[in-house]
């Protein structure tokens, strides 16, 4: 049985996070176990900073990335992606309750993002002109700054902020438009590992077909979706 | 009240916290091994610097001045990468067949067999070597200076009584050098201790990384206790930890100094 | 004042310098010095500050390598190679053997700070001469008693007064049982009362008939202890002879001036 | 070669951030350090204890942790304090809180240097000043200070260089606003794009080295001027002190 | 030897010590010292090392605060408050005024290394006495000429020989135009030839009739320059009188022993 090391960030609930016992857990972890079982691989998780997650893949310190990473053209220049395992999902703004932000046009606002994400790219190219874009090393830190009132809004994956909005008891709420960026999330792999990519793709296809993926999405994302069945 | 206590007890002993407590060993390991390497590199560097041959002297002083002219963080980011690639290159010259090299599509490593997987253990060792390399440059200077601080008369007296140059070196020079080197080495040690806070930049789940994870605000019950931003409390613990280590180190160095300085420093009458 | 013994002139030469030259960079400190110290003789070097007394003494045991000229110890020439400032010791083994026959007592004592007084005295016999510890220790203690600091054997140098340190340094030099004792201003770092102690010890050695070469500022002492006095001036021997000749019948004008200043001291 | 020149050009504006952090914190840190050093030497027990405690705390803990602590502390006070005062964006801005922490840090290190120098001021020179009837403030200004600053200068020069190096970790601990990136973050960003460690990091190192050399040169000139009263001047040497 | 002038005994007291006590921790250094130095008198303090000479001198200008006893300068008692080791200066302004009338010359010179010789000499008149720069400069240059180092005015102390430094220190003390000059072993750090220069300057001052208190190890000098000699022993004045009395008709056994050792020097 081939051993595959999978890197995750461990700070992007509910995709991946460290549970109370300090182990990686979340949607991607469950999914990875399913994929590995399906593909007949033995899997092992490695927690790695978001910043250096691609360099360390290339350096051979692990074989795959499952860390809420969206497929982008830029990333495709250096790594391969498997087929997506999380459908394209709109990115959302959230702000403290009662912060009336004018999005027509958005200007003069302090927007928090996690550095190196598709939202950060988007903000840099579309918002930086008139707003202050502040990038944090982890998404958690952006949330902390928002909660402390140091940001007007954060811009992040809809499914990332969704549970925060619901768990915040009304103190954090959605605002502004939903923006569709990214082409869904997928496993990141080294270009030369075509064989592994193929095996993972097969497994993902099978798991999508038998409803396992949708089941896990329902389980981890509060039944909110998005699903492949639609 | 009792419930509060049990709640906090179980919160503070959950797996995440245990992992945090456990990660202190990485910090301590990196400091100790890093300190060891720093002394080794320091002695080596000082020997080079005091060498009679110009090229060796040049290597010694280049090492100590270049490394000290650049921030330590930069080295910590750069050195492990460079070292990994150097090892892989070396291994590749041993194991790679021409076919394997031809078959390799990615720019690095030269062939699959030469790839070196880095886990926490390897990273820790690399981090320790990096620490040793960076602070060895400081130790080089300290030791070099200390060797020169030994009064010339002490060495002359040894020579005048017919000791050979190795006898002078070991029986008088190095023996007295420690007194002058220890204050500087103590500083270098403190530097190493404090730079262990940068281990998280080297992919080691160290005390800083865990403090950050534990302190980050959490809104999801599924992830653990829901709480706001608690990071500064966790950092306060680290702050206290480092102060304690500093305090302890000072006591140890004082004791070492008393030992090394017997006769040289003590003036209290017998 | 010691009587010049008639036998001394015939005794064999222990230290002989032939035409010694030494420069530090552009400064020519010794410009051709020759003299002989014979078995049992006490030779004093006097001269004003900077006249090269210490340098001369240090050339005898090659702590400074002379640029030109020869040093003979017991008739054996110290091997040197090279020329001028590049001159180096020729034979490491020879020089170590010779050095261990020259007991040097430094102006600033140079006791090894990390060793106790007893260990200081025992160090060279044990390490250089490789003698038995028990025997050396007995001898070292006896030597310390002789110079009057037996009680301080286990103290460190820093715990001793200047005079005690100087006497420890003398004991250290004596304990290698040297053919010649070399003293560099043995009392100039001491205060008058300590000086007396140290001079007493040196006098004792002189009376025992030990060969000595000493640099001193103390004219009365030089007069009372020496067989020969050598006055250095501007890198050369300006005047030389028995104490009576040098102090009593001074010829050189420069020496007269020097002695006047010293008297006023 | 072209890539090297490109990197040089890209990082040129970035080095200004490091220079800004150092330049903003050094003068204030210097002044604070002098007072702390005097505090540590003070015979007033309270002043003495406070100065000692401050210096010990900041020298005994890593700067990296100090950044994190002060940022999250400032953040937790945001709603209660900074916002009502209307200085929220200012206080939490890396260009403010960065130098702030650096000032706190460097003042502790410099204070220790100055304190050491203060104790090394020749007793005799001060006694002479007393013997000639100078008042305490005259003694300090005319005799203690000129001696102190000369004694401390070499070590202080090192502290300045190391403070400059310390600016490299500011953005590892603080958020990055817009395109305000220092050398390290720029180099790291470039590295994450094409993974060429052997190009970007050495270029950043080169910048650090260059600025360090400039600091040395300038401080060395000042030192020479300060030390003109000594015929044989010891050269200013790059020596480690008690660093972070 | 200077003749004791009959008028000296009647001249007014400039420095008066009354029953001075001083301890360092458990060590009682001064155990009750009283003496008077009158206008124009030269008083020498002699005694073996550690007998408290420097401490006594330093008590005169309150560099050490005596635990008990009084110091009167020109008949004015220096105000002190507190008791024993806690005793402090009572009136900062008074002490500054008094200090600027006592020209202290330290054993180790204590010139301000960061100032040139001229600046050293001008410092106190400018800063403490707040006099005009032009006037002070003229006076300082004259003073430097007087002690024979006028040419060195713009050199820094480190560029001067020991004897030159000592003379600069004397010029510095003179330039505040003090009522009394206090010298602490003015020549002990110097070599014999430099010593002569400095002693010459001090003698000049004595002959001018300047009041001086000086600590010295040099008995010949003490004899030739002093009006009174005070021998300190174990914290007390063991013998005191004109040089003739003290050196010529020594009474105390301890002083005899001391003078013997000093002579041997
Ligand atoms: N290692 C050295 N390098 C350069 N110059 C030196 C060195 N050693 C001595 N000199 C110079 O050589 C000259 C003679 O020095 P030396 O120590 O022999 O004098 P000395 O007669 O012993 O004087 P003193 O009585 O002051 O000890 C002096 O001018 C001194 O500055
Ligand atoms: N600040 C001090 N603290 C403790 N002890 C001191 C202090 N100053 C002087 N002493 C001690 O007081 C005694 C007298 O010292 P002092 O300097 O007055 O002697 P002295 O007569 O001037 O000797 P010397 O001729 O060696 O200069 C000595 O035993 C000395 O160790
Ligand atoms: Mg000499
Ligand atoms: Mg004294």
């Amino acid at each position: 049985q081939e051993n595959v090391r999978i890197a995750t960030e461990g700070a992007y609930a509910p995709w991946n996070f460290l549970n109370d016992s300090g182990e990686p857990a979340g949607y991607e972890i469950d999914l990875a176990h399913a994929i590995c079982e399906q593909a007949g691989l033995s899997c092992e998780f490695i927690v790695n900073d978001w910043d250096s997650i691609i360099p360390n893949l290339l350096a051979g310190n692990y074989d795959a990335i499952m860390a809420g990473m969206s497929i982008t053209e830029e990333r495709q220049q250096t790594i391969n992606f498997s087929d997506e395992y999380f459908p394209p999902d709109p990115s959302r703004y959230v702000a403290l309750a009662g912060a009336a932000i004018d999005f027509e046009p958005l200007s003069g606002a302090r927007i928090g993002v996690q550095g190196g994400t598709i939202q950060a790219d988007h903000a840099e190219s579309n918002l930086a002109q008139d707003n202050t874009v502040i990038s944090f090393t982890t998404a958690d830190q952006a949330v902390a700054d928002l909660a402390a009132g140091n940001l007007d809004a954060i811009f992040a994956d809809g499914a990332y902020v969704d549970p925060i909005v619901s768990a915040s008891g009304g103190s954090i709420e959605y605002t502004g438009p939903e923006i569709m960026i990214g082409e869904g999330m997928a496993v990141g792999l080294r270009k030369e590992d075509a064989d592994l990519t193929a095996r993972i793709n097969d497994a993902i296809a099978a798991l999508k077909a038998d409803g396992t993926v949708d089941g896990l999405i329902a389980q981890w994302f509060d039944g909110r979706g998005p699903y492949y069945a639609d | 009240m009792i419930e509060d206590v049990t709640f906090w007890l179980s919160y503070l002993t959950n797996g995440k916290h245990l992992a945090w407590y456990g990660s202190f060993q990485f910090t301590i390991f990196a400091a100790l091994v890093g300190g060891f390497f720093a002394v080794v590199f320091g002695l080596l560097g000082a020997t080079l610097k005091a060498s009679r041959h110009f090229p060796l002297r040049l290597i010694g002083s280049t090492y100590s001045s270049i490394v000290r002219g650049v921030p330590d963080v930069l080295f910590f980011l750069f050195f492990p990468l460079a070292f990994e690639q150097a090892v892989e290159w070396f291994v590749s010259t041993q194991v790679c067949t021409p076919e394997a090299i031809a078959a390799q599509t990615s720019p690095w490593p030269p062939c699959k067999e030469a790839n070196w997987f880095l886990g926490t253990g390897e990273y820790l060792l690399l981090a320790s070597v990096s620490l040793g390399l960076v602070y060895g440059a400081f130790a080089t200077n300290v030791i070099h200076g200390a060797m020169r601080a030994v009064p010339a008369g002490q060495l002359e007296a040894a020579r005048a009584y017919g000791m050979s140059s190795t006898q002078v070196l070991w029986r008088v020079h190095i023996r007295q050098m420690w007194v002058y080197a220890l204050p500087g080495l103590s500083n270098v040690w403190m530097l190493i201790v404090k730079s262990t806070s940068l281990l998280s930049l080297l992919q080691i789940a160290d005390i800083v990384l865990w403090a950050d994870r534990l302190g980050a605000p959490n809104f999801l019950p599924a992830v653990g206790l829901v709480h706001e931003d608690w990071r500064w409390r966790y950092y306060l613990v680290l702050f206290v930890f480092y102060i304690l280590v500093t305090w302890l180190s000072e006591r140890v160095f004082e004791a070492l100094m008393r030992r090394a300085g017997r006769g040289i420093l003590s003036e209290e009458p017998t | 004042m010691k009587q010049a013994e008639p036998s001394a002139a015939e005794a064999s030469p222990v230290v002989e310098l032939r035409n010694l030259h030494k420069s530090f960079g552009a400064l020519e400190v010794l410009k051709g010095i020759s003299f002989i110290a014979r078995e049992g003789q006490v030779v004093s070097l006097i001269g004003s500050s900077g006249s090269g007394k210490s340098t001369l003494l240090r050339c005898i045991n090659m702590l400074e390598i002379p640029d030109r000229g020869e040093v003979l110890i017991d008739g054996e020439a110290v091997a040197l190679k090279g020329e001028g400032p590049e001159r180096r010791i020729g034979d490491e083994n020879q020089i170590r053997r010779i050095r261990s026959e020259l007991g040097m007592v430094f102006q600033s004592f140079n006791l090894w700070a990390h060793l106790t007084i007893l260990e200081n005295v025992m160090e060279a016999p044990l390490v250089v001469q490789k003698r038995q510890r028990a025997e050396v220790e007995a001898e070292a203690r006896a030597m310390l008693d002789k110079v009057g600091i037996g009680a301080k054997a286990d103290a460190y140098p820093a715990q001793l007064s200047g005079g005690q340190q100087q006497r420890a340094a003398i004991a250290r030099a004596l304990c290698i049982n040297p053919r010649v004792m070399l003293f560099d201003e043995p009392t100039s770092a001491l205060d008058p009362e300590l000086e007396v102690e140290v001079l007493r010890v040196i006098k004792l050695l002189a009376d025992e008939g030990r060969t000595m070469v000493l640099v001193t500022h103390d004219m009365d002492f030089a007069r009372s202890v020496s067989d020969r006095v050598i006055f250095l001036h501007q890198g050369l021997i300006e005047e030389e002879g028995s104490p009576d000749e040098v102090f009593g019948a001074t010829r050189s004008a420069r020496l007269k001036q020097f002695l006047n200043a010293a008297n006023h001291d | 070669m072209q890539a090297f020149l490109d990197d040089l050009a890209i990082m040129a504006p970035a080095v200004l951030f490091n220079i800004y952090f150092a330049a903003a914190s050094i003068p204030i840190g210097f002044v604070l350090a002098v007072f702390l050093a005097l505090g540590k030497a003070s015979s007033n027990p309270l002043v003495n204890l406070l100065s000692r405690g401050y210096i010990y705390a900041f020298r005994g803990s890593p700067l990296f942790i100090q950044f994190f602590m002060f940022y999250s502390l400032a953040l937790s006070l945001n709603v209660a304090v900074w916002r009502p005062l209307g200085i929220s964006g200012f206080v939490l801005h890396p260009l403010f809180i960065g130098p702030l922490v650096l000032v706190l840090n460097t003042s502790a290190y410099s204070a220790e240097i100055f304190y050491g120098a203060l104790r090394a001021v020749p007793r005799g020179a001060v006694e002479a000043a007393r013997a000639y009837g100078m008042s305490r403030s005259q003694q300090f200004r005319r005799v203690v200070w000129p001696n102190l600053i000369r004694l401390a200068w070499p070590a202080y020069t090192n502290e300045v260089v190391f403070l400059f190096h310390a600016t490299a970790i500011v953005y590892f601990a603080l958020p990055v606003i817009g395109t305000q990136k220092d050398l390290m973050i720029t180099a790291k960003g470039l590295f994450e794009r094409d993974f060429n460690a052997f190009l970007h990091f050495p270029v950043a190192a080169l910048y650090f080295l260059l600025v360090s050399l400039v600091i040395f040169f300038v401080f060395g000139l000042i030192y020479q001027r300060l030390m003109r009263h000594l015929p044989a001047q010891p050269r200013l040497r790059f020596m480690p002190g008690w660093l972070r």
Side-chain angles (χ1 to χ4, degrees), chain C residues 55 86 113 119 152 163 196 201:
Chain C
T55 307
E86 254 65 67
E119 287 165 347
K152 296 287 181 180
V196 179
V201 172

Side-chain angles (χ1 to χ4, degrees), chain B residues 4-87:
Chain B
D4 271 9
V5 170
T6 43
F7 168 76
W8 285 113
L9 264 182
S10 75
Y11 173 70
L12 289 175
T13 54
N14 70 18
K16 239 169 162 171
H17 279 88
L18 291 181
W20 183 37
Y21 308 143
S23 66
F24 277 85
Q25 67 184 338
F26 299 145
T27 300
I28 292 163
F29 176 90
L32 290 175
V33 178
F36 169 77
F37 278 121
V39 171
V40 171
F41 287 127
L43 284 170
L44 209 70
T47 314
L48 288 177
K49 233 176 142 169
S51 162
R52 237 177 297 168
H53 306 287
F54 178 72
L56 294 183
R57 245 186 0 252
L58 191 70
I59 295 175
S61 41
T62 312
Y63 162 60
S64 81
S65 41
I66 295 278
V67 173
R68 287 178 308 132
V70 164
D72 44 7
V73 214
L74 213 155
F75 252 90
F76 293 150
L77 291 186
F78 173 69
F79 177 75
L81 288 165
F83 188 76
E84 183 188 355
Q85 296 197 359
V87 169

Side-chain angles (χ1 to χ4, degrees), chain C residues 50 52-55 107 184-185 215 217:
Chain C
K53 306 179 297 294
S54 299
T55 307
Q107 173 170 6
D184 192 358
E185 298 185 18
V215 171
H217 267 147

Side-chain angles (χ1 to χ4, degrees), chain B residues 154 156 161 171 176 268, chain C residues 58 104 111 114 123 159:
Chain B
Q154 297 282 316
E156 253 180 12
Y161 286 100
R171 297 199 60 92
Q176 294 200 10
E268 78 273 18
Chain C
R58 292 159 57 82
M104 176 105 170
L111 290 168
H114 62 292
E123 182 78 357
Q159 296 163 335

Side-chain angles (χ1 to χ4, degrees), chain A residues 50-51 111-117 133-146 150-151 154, chain B residues 231, chain D residues 71 75 174-176:
Chain A
W50 174 251
D51 277 348
I111 310 291
V113 294
Q114 181 181 14
T117 59
V133 176
I134 304 178
S135 45
F136 294 83
T137 353
T138 66
D140 288 347
Q141 290 171 2
V143 176
D145 274 52
L146 177 74
N150 186 37
L151 298 173
I154 59 178
Chain B
R231 279 174 302 173
Chain D
Y71 186 75
L75 198 60
L174 302 181
V176 176

Side-chain angles (χ1 to χ4, degrees), chain C residues 24 27 29 47-56 64 107 185 217:
Chain C
F24 293 109
L27 180 72
V29 178
S48 57
S49 182
S51 59
K53 306 179 297 294
S54 299
T55 307
L56 182 58
E64 304 287 357
Q107 173 170 6
E185 298 185 18
H217 267 147

